[in-house]
Amino acid sequence: MSLTITKLDPIGALITDPDLDYLLNNPAAGEELTRALDENSVLLVRGLHLDDDTQLALARRMGEVVVKHTPGWSDEHPGIYRIALDPAANDELYVKGSWDWHIDGASSNGIPPKATMLTCRGVPGAGGDTQALSTYVAYDMLTDEEKTRFEGLKVWHKVRPEAYTEKINLTEAQRARLETEPANLHPLVWTHLDGRKSLVLGITADRIDGLDKAESDAILADLNERCSRPELVLTHSWQLDDLLIWDNTGTMHRGRPYTETSGRDMHRCTIVGYEPIQ
Ligand code: SIN
């Protein structure tokens, strides 16, 4: 058996008629999912009714699952991270921090996760869509002159307090915490192990190394705007039990705003990556 997929617009693919038994118990299923993900950037799977155990088991078919023990991460189901505006589930700061375009792990100096899997355990009453865009497409859209100019540029990435100003009235303690987050330098153009190139952008991209702030801000704002034009963005409106998987190394994603009472509850896990941003 192999996966049957239907392309989504402008990126992504829906896996039609998924068979949970096959996905969990056939060693080839993980490779098929990974191949489909590499070819389509985002996969949508409906009707699997995953709980935390089966979500983790499916993730393990695709690789090793990232486990942390910081706010939002489950102790009962190591590897599961809750994204919900409920103080019992996670810290508002982290949840609202995911409402801007980003690549998971881009603000750190480690290897970013290969893929992220999000299941919908509580449907948002209003808002709360998830969007994704291809950072390979973002690179391909550059002119030849831009490709040459940007090839050697490096960008400082960090979790920036300014990114929160319209979403949270930061307390002094929260601001101080964010200000101590380290900045890490990544190339603007990521040359992947297979030779393909993508752009490393998003809310964590703070400053192009060696350029003055005005020039750096103008370039980053222009690139972020061009790659996230509506016709390039997949918008997913959640139904209960939907599973969305994105290739974190070739996409950016963001949640759209929602309120504390929206009922939105997402369970996330990520697959350990193997490609440094280089
Ligand atoms: C995330 O950034 O991992 C979550 C995005 C979302 O909640 O839609």
Side-chain angles (χ1 to χ4, degrees):
M1 176 173 175
S2 59
L3 304 175
T4 314
I5 62 170
T6 307
K7 296 273 184 191
L8 298 172
D9 185 37
I11 59 165
L14 170 73
I15 299 185
T16 49
D17 297 327
D19 177 342
L20 185 59
D21 185 53
Y22 173 76
L23 290 172
L24 289 184
N25 298 313
N26 192 313
E31 284 162 36
E32 285 178 45
L33 278 174
T34 303
R35 200 174 324 117
L37 190 62
D38 286 339
E39 285 168 9
N40 296 285
S41 300
V42 180
L43 300 176
L44 169 62
V45 198
R46 297 201 129 127
L48 288 183
H49 308 291
L50 298 176
D51 58 20
D52 289 339
D53 288 324
T54 44
Q55 178 172 347
L56 288 167
L58 184 58
R60 285 194 204 98
R61 278 267 164 247
M62 296 179 72
E64 188 187 340
V65 170
V66 175
V67 175
K68 290 189 186 170
H69 296 285
T70 47
W73 291 84
S74 168
D75 289 328
E76 206 182 327
H77 294 98
I80 292 291
Y81 177 82
R82 292 268 306 279
I83 301 177
L85 275 178
D86 167 0
N90 204 335
D91 186 327
E92 180 192 23
L93 197 62
Y94 297 123
V95 175
K96 291 192 174 172
S98 66
W99 292 357
D100 283 296
W101 290 113
H102 63 283
I103 297 171
D104 289 334
S107 61
S108 90
N109 65 357
I111 293 180
K114 164 62 186 163
T116 302
M117 282 184 159
L118 207 60
T119 52
C120 180
R121 308 290 286 278
V123 181
D129 290 347
T130 295
Q131 295 183 315
L133 61 83
S134 167
T135 51
Y136 290 116
V137 170
Y139 176 80
D140 292 342
M141 277 185 346
L142 298 177
T143 63
D144 289 344
E145 186 272 330
E146 286 174 322
K147 285 180 181 166
T148 307
R149 182 154 58 101
F150 295 154
E151 188 66 44
L153 293 186
K154 293 199 171 211
V155 182
W156 288 101
H157 283 255
K158 71 188 293 265
V159 180
R160 298 181 295 138
E162 311 88 79
Y164 292 88
T165 41
E166 284 170 16
K167 296 180 286 235
I168 298 187
N169 250 339
L170 288 178
T171 62
E172 277 314 305
Q174 284 173 321
R175 181 173 292 279
R177 194 167 97 207
L178 291 174
E179 270 160 6
T180 62
E181 294 277 343
N184 286 292
L185 203 54
H186 298 305
L188 175 56
V189 178
W190 181 350
T191 304
H192 293 259
L193 297 175
D194 64 2
R196 293 178 73 199
K197 291 175 193 256
S198 68
L199 293 185
V200 184
L201 289 166
I203 192 68
T204 57
D206 185 26
R207 180 80 171 259
I208 301 177
D209 193 47
L211 297 194
D212 71 43
K213 182 166 163 40
E215 190 182 2
S216 166
D217 284 353
I219 293 173
L220 293 174
D222 175 58
L223 291 177
N224 274 314
E225 186 276 323
R226 280 160 62 192
C227 74
S228 61
R229 288 188 181 149
E231 63 273 21
L232 301 176
V233 171
L234 175 76
T235 298
H236 178 62
S237 297
W238 291 97
Q239 294 177 16
L240 194 64
D241 288 333
D242 280 355
L243 167 69
L244 202 64
I245 312 174
W246 57 83
D247 172 4
N248 183 56
T249 64
T251 59
M252 288 201 286
H253 63 278
R254 66 176 180 178
R256 302 317 294 135
Y258 48 94
T259 64
E260 273 168 47
T261 54
S262 79
R264 192 186 200 266
D265 186 6
M266 300 291 159
H267 288 210
R268 190 189 84 174
C269 63
T270 49
I271 316 280
V272 172
Y274 53 86
E275 275 201 274
I277 303 178
Q278 58 189 1

